[in-house]
Amino acid sequence: MTKSCIIIGLGQIGMEYDYDHKGKTAIYTHAHAIDEHPEFKLVGAVDKSSNQRRRFEKRYDLPSFDDPELALQRLEPDLVVIATPTDLHSSILTKVINAKGPKLILCEKPLAYELDEAKNMIKMIKDAGIDLFVNNFRRVDHGVLEIKKRIENGEIKSPIKANVWYSKGIINNGSHFIDLLDLWLGEVKSTSIISQGRLWNNFDPEPDFKLEFNLGSAVFRSSWEESFSHYSIELLSPSGRLFYDYGGNHIEWQTMFDDPGFKGYKILDKQKEIIKNSMDIYQWHVYDNIHKYYTDKTTTLSTGFQAIKTLEVIDLIIKQRQKK
């Protein structure tokens, strides 16, 4: 049976990124993904902006509301998507819980800016008997899962060293890649600051830092979002090199061979294997994994517990940055 859904927040990830796209291509938003997935039914949305509500009604021919509580009362959804700005997550979550309706919530990342606030949100959700996923969408990308499989089966051998480029703040975007490396390399064992960096938008820190994981280490460096977006990871392994570029839209793997010019040396093969990814419809795969949850199948979606782990790492890095 299809699950009914409402979206609270009709900004970029809620509706706008792929507003002019239809069909099963370029699925970047909650609205488009729910509309296209056969196991879910979009029944309405909530936004304070009358312009955004009009755009939603024009595109999806469904009702919209300016009040979450009224929407929850009228529509009684199975799944609620919280896609508002981060500083509103907690207040919206409280309203959803008080409505005593949905048993599952999908919240945009980060769950909160402050660790204590996020922990309080998790407690509220647990006390209410509601399950939670946080939208770290790279966790369900086909290319990411292929890399995870290769690390687990030893094709990409450990110990692994990684260089990571991120921009637009450690909380806003760096969190994606801390979470991603947790999926690949296991839990973070230690953190250290390389340089303080600046504050993105006078709020979100952009330090350079190093993390030690179970299966290796990673150096994170911040770039300049105002110049260009840059999100990439280079993994060096005893068995080769992996390059995860353009935020995951391009992934390549190189093995090594005997250097023809210098006996006893090995070099990386110029022939690169392209690992297929599914980032062109990343949000559709989030809902496909939510369907797995509903049918008691394994999913790699980020849970509230995993989101807290990432925020704990970020909180520690920010505190170390302030002391440096």
Side-chain angles (χ1 to χ4, degrees):
M1 188 171 80
T2 58
K3 300 295 183 180
S4 60
C5 312
I6 68 168
I7 302 166
I8 303 176
L10 293 172
Q12 296 285 54
I13 192 68
M15 176 182 70
E16 289 294 345
Y17 280 139
D18 53 17
Y19 186 86
D20 295 320
H21 293 277
K22 294 185 178 180
K24 293 179 171 59
T25 58
I27 302 178
Y28 308 136
T29 67
H30 295 288
H32 192 183
I34 296 167
D35 191 52
E36 288 294 337
H37 201 290
E39 300 297 335
F40 296 92
K41 181 180 180 181
L42 186 60
V43 295
V46 181
D47 201 281
K48 288 294 184 183
S49 167
S50 58
N51 180 62
Q52 292 304 99
R53 295 198 303 273
R54 282 194 297 270
R55 283 174 62 77
F56 174 80
E57 290 171 2
K58 179 180 178 181
R59 171 69 171 80
Y60 293 100
D61 193 25
L62 291 168
S64 66
F65 304 81
D66 65 358
D67 179 13
E69 292 167 305
L70 180 59
L72 290 161
Q73 179 185 355
R74 294 271 183 88
L75 301 176
E76 298 182 342
D78 299 304
L79 169 64
V80 171
V81 179
I82 300 177
T84 61
T86 301
D87 57 0
L88 297 177
H89 286 178
S90 182
S91 61
I92 295 296
L93 178 66
T94 301
K95 292 179 180 180
V96 173
I97 290 173
N98 289 341
K100 298 180 181 178
K103 294 299 181 184
L104 180 64
I105 294 171
L106 173 64
C107 186
E108 271 305 313
K109 61 81 198 168
L111 193 56
Y113 286 128
E114 299 293 336
L115 178 59
D116 287 343
E117 182 180 18
K119 287 181 175 179
N120 184 60
M121 292 167 68
I122 294 298
K123 184 180 185 304
M124 287 194 298
I125 290 169
K126 183 178 179 181
D127 291 346
I130 297 173
D131 286 336
L132 170 73
F133 288 120
V134 178
N135 194 32
N136 287 304
F137 52 78
R138 286 181 177 83
R139 276 184 162 263
V140 296
D141 170 64
H142 287 178
V144 163
L145 295 178
E146 175 64 21
I147 295 166
K148 175 178 168 60
K149 183 180 76 173
R150 294 187 187 196
I151 291 172
E152 289 174 345
N153 68 22
E155 182 178 347
I156 300 177
K157 295 180 181 178
S158 61
I160 290 168
K161 290 188 176 183
N163 286 320
V164 183
W165 285 101
Y166 76 99
S167 58
K168 212 173 181 180
I170 187 175
I171 302 172
N172 186 58
N173 275 350
S175 59
H176 265 299
F177 301 102
I178 295 171
D179 176 82
L180 180 55
L181 286 180
D182 177 273
L183 180 71
W184 286 343
L185 304 183
E187 292 189 357
V188 174
K189 299 195 303 185
S190 67
T191 68
S192 57
I193 293 293
I194 298 171
S195 66
Q196 285 183 314
R198 62 176 186 175
L199 295 176
W200 169 254
N201 279 347
N202 295 314
F203 173 73
D204 196 344
E206 292 187 331
D208 294 347
F209 58 96
K210 182 180 179 181
L211 300 182
E212 294 285 347
F213 295 86
N214 287 340
L215 296 180
S217 62
V219 171
F220 286 68
R221 301 199 67 190
S222 63
S223 59
W224 307 276
E225 180 72 22
E226 68 273 21
S227 298
F228 53 89
S229 297
H230 184 49
Y231 313 113
S232 74
I233 302 173
E234 181 186 33
L235 295 183
L236 281 188
S237 157
S239 55
R241 170 187 179 267
L242 183 120
F243 195 40
Y244 179 94
D245 202 11
Y246 296 101
N249 286 283
H250 178 80
I251 308 172
E252 59 186 39
W253 168 247
Q254 292 171 276
T255 55
M256 74 282 286
F257 69 103
D258 292 330
D259 188 332
F262 296 91
K263 187 176 180 180
Y265 288 83
K266 291 184 179 293
I267 57 175
L268 290 171
D269 196 337
K270 292 181 180 179
Q271 295 297 318
K272 301 170 184 177
E273 176 196 357
I274 303 301
I275 297 177
K276 292 182 179 179
N277 67 81
S278 53
M279 288 293 287
D280 57 334
I281 55 170
Y282 62 75
Q283 204 60 53
W284 191 92
H285 286 290
V286 170
Y287 286 90
D288 207 42
N289 273 261
I290 293 175
H291 174 60
K292 289 180 180 179
Y293 153 85
Y294 276 123
T295 53
D296 297 320
K297 296 177 182 176
T298 301
T299 173
T300 51
L301 279 171
S302 181
T303 63
F305 171 74
Q306 288 159 337
I308 290 294
K309 281 203 309 178
T310 299
L311 285 173
E312 285 175 337
V313 171
I314 291 171
D315 184 67
L316 181 57
I317 292 167
I318 290 173
K319 287 177 179 176
Q320 290 175 335
R321 173 186 178 272
Q322 291 168 344
K323 292 179 181 178
K324 190 170 179 67

